Amino acid sequence: MSSPIDQVLSEFVDAWNAGRRPQVDDYLGRVAPAERDDLADQLMMWLAVAPTPDYPDAAREEIRADPTVRAVLAATAGEAGLWPELLPRLRKRAGLAIRDLAARVVATFGLTGEEERTAGYLERMERGELEAARVSRRLLDALGAALGVSGESLAEAGDLRSGVARPAAASPGTLWRADGAPSDALADEFAALSRAAMTPAPTPMDELDRLFTGGPDA
Amino acid sequence: MMAAAGDSEIVRRHDEEKLRRFVRCRDTGDVEGAQRWWAELVEDNIDRVKGMVAIWGRDGRLSADEREEAAQQALFRLWRNMVKTFEGSSMGEWVNAVRRCTEYACMDVQRSAARRRRHESSLDETVRGEDGEVGRHDRQLGKRAEEEYRRAEERDDAAGFVAWAVPQVANERRRTVIERSLDGAPAEEIAAELGVEMGNLYQLRSRGMKDLAKLKETYDP
């Protein structure tokens, strides 16, 4: 004789396999509270072994529109990692407006008069417009202190792409022998280098620029 | 659509191909390629992650917002693991990674929520340890969890738990029901194949799942 758990589990499995995206809570809610742990164990076992369903197109669209999926993919694709999602949340939790946070940064680094530019930089950080790898660790420590987390945590949150290896560069001592005429691509690179050489040097970075864009050691 | 016998193997191979392509892109520095295959893996597995989070957070252990946060954290942990240390190529390893990252994310979110309820605002606050030394308790816990995860991952059999466990389900009918369920066959179809009532089929499926759970304890102590 089968129990209610047996039937509920079976219906979950069928719904999963059919790509109907069954919600665990709906199924747990169908059994008596005393039986939920037993059902939960079996559902966990199924989720640990179940193949990915062949989702219908409509389900696939739903998944792509899921806010969690969108947030995760945006964070792992962006140069700023989790910052656009994390920094506003931490700031809100700390009860600080952008200008308050800017005032703390200015005070920490003795940059009186730079409140407005600092606030602008902070807004860009929150929008994910600053590359996390170029933000100074000193600044992250100061921001972390104001937001109640460590600078190291902030650095890690911004650094979601660094593990993807870049192709190994040739060692400085490596010599390459040209086997034929230089390619168009090489000619384009020389042209770009020439243009760069003729372009006036940018305005030197000041202390505030260095904090936000000068690299981790700035 | 009726599932043919052996479909689970085809699905697994398809999933594993995505995993292999991700690893290949990662190792050759193809960031865009790695992100493309990562996106496919996330889309394929978001229901698995959210289902595991829901089981973990059932009966009010995590609020709706905390579950969302845990699902996100689980995927970020998974991404970090995938880009930095993951060396596997089987779906068994991948699903194991999903499960462990989800568990740690749920624990983290629950700890953070408990702290907030105690009016402590830091995600990573400094607390005094048992020995009186001031340390970053959560960071230590997180690092320990990561180390445990890596050790567990090293123990995993690349062939995957399913391939190892299903043939060991001793009862033939339960084994058949599990195999056909993993193939995607619906309950009615399996019941017809075995010539059993639906009630019996539900029971065979449930007991087969319990057999797998027991085998899992042996496989992954």
Side-chain angles (χ1 to χ4, degrees), chain B residues 19-215:
Chain B
L19 201 54
R20 272 194 291 274
R21 289 186 182 206
F22 170 87
V23 171
R24 197 178 311 136
C25 289
R26 176 196 68 184
D27 292 347
T28 56
D30 178 0
V31 177
E32 285 70 28
Q35 283 168 345
R36 188 168 61 250
W37 292 110
W38 163 249
E40 293 225 6
L41 289 164
V42 168
E43 288 172 11
D44 285 352
N45 285 276
I46 186 67
D47 285 347
R48 194 188 308 274
V49 169
K50 286 195 169 181
M52 289 177 171
V53 168
I55 290 169
W56 215 94
R58 69 186 182 278
D59 296 331
R61 285 170 219 178
L62 294 175
S63 70
D65 284 349
E66 286 160 2
R67 288 185 190 194
E68 282 301 310
E69 191 177 341
Q72 272 194 27
Q73 271 200 29
L75 290 166
F76 290 134
R77 280 172 176 272
L78 195 56
W79 165 261
R80 272 188 201 289
N81 176 46
M82 293 291 288
V83 298
K84 291 189 173 166
T85 60
F86 190 82
E87 296 294 344
S89 59
S90 77
M91 283 315 285
E93 288 163 290
W94 159 259
V95 171
N96 229 358
V98 170
R99 186 167 61 84
R100 290 182 195 285
C101 288
T102 303
E103 279 176 14
Y104 293 137
C106 287
M107 285 190 275
D108 269 359
V109 169
Q110 200 172 40
R111 270 201 302 272
S112 297
R115 273 201 309 273
R116 279 200 297 278
R117 282 192 275 275
R118 292 197 308 267
H119 307 290
E120 295 174 11
S121 63
S122 169
L123 275 179
D124 189 15
E125 85 272 29
T126 300
V127 296
R128 195 165 292 278
E130 285 175 9
D131 56 358
E133 184 185 339
V134 173
R136 293 191 183 282
H137 183 59
D138 282 347
R139 182 157 300 283
Q140 286 168 358
L141 278 179
K143 282 196 162 57
R144 207 176 305 148
E146 297 292 342
E147 283 166 17
E148 283 172 11
Y149 164 73
R150 272 195 290 276
R151 280 198 294 274
E153 193 186 45
E154 284 163 9
R155 281 201 304 268
D156 289 344
D157 180 353
F161 169 71
V162 173
W164 174 83
V166 173
Q168 296 192 60
V169 174
N171 181 295
E172 188 180 343
R173 291 205 300 178
R174 290 185 202 170
R175 186 171 64 245
T176 302
V177 170
I178 291 297
E179 282 172 348
R180 299 292 289 125
S181 298
L182 290 168
D183 285 344
E188 291 81 0
E189 189 180 314
I190 306 173
E193 287 170 5
L194 292 177
V196 298
E197 300 290 325
M198 288 302 289
N200 286 340
L201 187 280
Y202 297 148
Q203 194 179 51
L204 287 167
R205 220 178 210 178
S206 180
R207 290 185 177 175
M209 210 65 76
K210 284 181 177 169
D211 290 343
L212 283 187
K214 279 187 192 149
L215 286 162

Side-chain angles (χ1 to χ4, degrees), chain A residues 92-138:
Chain A
K92 194 175 164 190
R93 212 176 69 192
L96 297 172
I98 283 271
R99 65 178 178 281
D100 300 325
L101 191 55
R104 299 225 188 163
V105 171
V106 163
T108 301
F109 295 103
L111 297 170
T112 307
E114 294 284 15
E115 288 80 359
E116 200 171 322
R117 280 180 67 214
T118 304
Y121 265 127
L122 289 172
E123 283 170 352
R124 289 175 60 193
M125 262 181 104
E126 290 195 358
R127 289 197 300 265
E129 292 173 6
L130 292 187
E131 191 181 336
R134 302 186 65 81
V135 175
S136 152
R137 286 303 303 271
R138 289 189 299 142

